[in-house]
Amino acid sequence: MLFEDFVENPWVLKIIAAMAIVFLGLVLGRFFGNLFRMILKELEIDALLRKKWNIKFNLETSTYYLFSFAIYILAINLALKQLGIATIVLYAISGLILLLAIAIVFFSIKFCYLKYSSYSF
């Protein structure tokens, strides 16, 4: 009797679905992060940046973290939407965090370029 009430409760199904979404997001985040890292490694982007422009920036690892982080945020947003608590504020916070990550990558690339280039601004 108690188990039937527990299983029939719609919140239990929503929580289980949200946990499944988060788990799937973690798996897909690692998968796509590693996929992009392997693609960049095969294209030898880091070696090209070092050789052609003398930029010592590990683009492979940065791309892994950027894509993984974006998919993690998407999975968390989907899980919160499944629970019915995803509001405009949660999307705004996720967008700000993503913009912050992009800005950090941009400024780190710019810093590496300025540090290792012969040009001065």
Side-chain angles (χ1 to χ4, degrees), residues 13-14 18 22 35 49 55 60 85 90-91 99 117 121:
L13 295 176
K14 286 182 180 184
V22 169
L35 177 68
L49 287 174
I55 298 174
E60 297 168 5
I85 57 175
L90 291 174
Y91 287 117
L99 284 174
S117 72
F121 294 101

Side-chain angles (χ1 to χ4, degrees), residues 79-98:
L80 291 174
K81 187 175 180 179
Q82 175 66 30
L83 292 173
I85 57 175
T87 61
I88 237 25
V89 174
L90 291 174
Y91 287 117
I93 290 171
S94 298
L96 288 174
I97 291 172
L98 187 60

Side-chain angles (χ1 to χ4, degrees), residues 37-48:
R37 185 184 343 187
M38 287 173 37
I39 289 171
L40 291 178
K41 191 171 190 166
E42 286 294 321
L43 295 174
E44 297 180 355
I45 296 295
D46 285 342
L48 180 67

